């Protein structure tokens, strides 16, 4: 298989799998709403559980029923979702320029270790050895003692 075909198949799978998940959720939501509206006064927890369980186990029966009944909400909703998923996968993903993509610092949400030149830039941190840091610390303690321990 060529690289272009693999990319196309991968994009198609990224359309089909989420679409099937949305179809499943539409069926559950639509059937649950239908059960609640049908059994307004006689609705029990057991009835609702049984109906939702049946819809979860056999969603394609309800998909077939909704399509045969020409249910406009179901058909338009799924059409919109399918078109949206196709648009998102196959839209032209060109490289951003300007503030949208700063290649030196990474994109939003990326993390990386800082370079030594970025840390020790002379403004934020000064490179010193452990002995120099310890000597500076000891000197600061001696100046506190000579001042009488007052802050």
């Amino acid at each position: 298989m060529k690289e272009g075909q693999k990319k196309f198949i991968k994009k198609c799978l990224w359309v089909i799998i989420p679409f099937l998940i949305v179809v499943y959720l539409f069926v559950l939501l639509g059937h649950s709403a239908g059960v609640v509206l049908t059994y307004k006064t006689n609705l029990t927890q057991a009835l609702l559980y049984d109906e939702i369980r049946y819809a979860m186990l056999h969603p394609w029966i309800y998909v077939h029923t909704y399509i045969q009944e020409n249910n406009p909400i179901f058909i338009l909703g799924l059409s919109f979702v399918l078109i949206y998923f196709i648009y998102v996968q196959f839209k032209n993903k060109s490289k951003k320029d300007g503030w949208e993509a700063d290649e030196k610092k990474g994109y939003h949400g990326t993390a990386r270790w800082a370079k030594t030149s970025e840390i020790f830039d002379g403004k934020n941190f000064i490179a010193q050895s452990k002995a120099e840091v310890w000597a500076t610390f000891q000197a600061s303690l001696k100046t506190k003692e000579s001042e009488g321990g007052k802050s």
Side-chain angles (χ1 to χ4, degrees):
M1 239 186 203
K2 294 180 182 176
E3 188 65 30
Q5 289 174 333
K6 287 182 182 178
K7 277 186 173 183
F8 181 76
I9 290 172
K10 187 177 178 181
K11 284 185 176 190
C12 286
L13 286 176
W14 277 106
V15 169
I16 293 169
I17 292 171
F19 179 73
L20 291 176
I21 292 170
V22 169
V23 168
Y24 189 73
L25 294 175
F26 268 31
V27 166
L28 291 178
L29 184 67
H31 186 64
S32 300
V35 168
V36 169
L37 292 174
T38 303
Y39 300 105
K40 291 178 195 174
T41 57
N42 301 333
L43 187 64
T44 62
Q45 185 178 1
L47 176 68
L48 187 60
Y49 172 76
D50 289 340
E51 290 289 333
I52 291 175
R53 183 172 166 263
Y54 188 78
M56 289 176 77
L57 294 175
H58 308 287
W60 299 115
I61 293 172
Y62 293 101
V63 170
H64 184 69
T65 303
Y66 291 150
I67 291 173
Q68 274 188 338
E69 293 175 352
N70 289 328
N71 186 330
I73 296 173
F74 185 77
I75 293 171
L76 289 176
L78 290 185
S79 300
F80 173 76
V81 168
L82 182 63
I83 291 169
Y84 176 75
F85 284 152
I86 291 172
Y87 170 75
V88 167
Q89 277 304 315
F90 292 103
K91 73 178 182 175
N92 185 11
K93 295 180 181 177
S94 62
K95 200 171 194 180
K96 309 279 186 202
D97 31 306
W99 63 271
E100 293 180 332
D102 187 4
E103 303 240 342
K104 292 181 229 164
K105 306 255 182 191
Y107 294 100
H108 174 73
T110 60
R112 65 174 178 82
W113 293 101
K115 297 175 185 166
T116 307
S117 62
E118 294 172 342
I119 297 172
F120 301 111
D121 59 357
K123 298 176 189 171
N124 298 314
F125 294 98
I126 300 170
Q128 293 181 333
S129 68
K130 289 180 185 178
E132 290 174 316
V133 172
W134 184 251
T136 306
F137 176 67
Q138 291 293 339
S140 71
L141 290 178
K142 288 180 184 176
T143 57
K144 289 279 186 183
E145 290 175 2
S146 66
E147 291 176 2
K150 295 181 180 175
S151 308

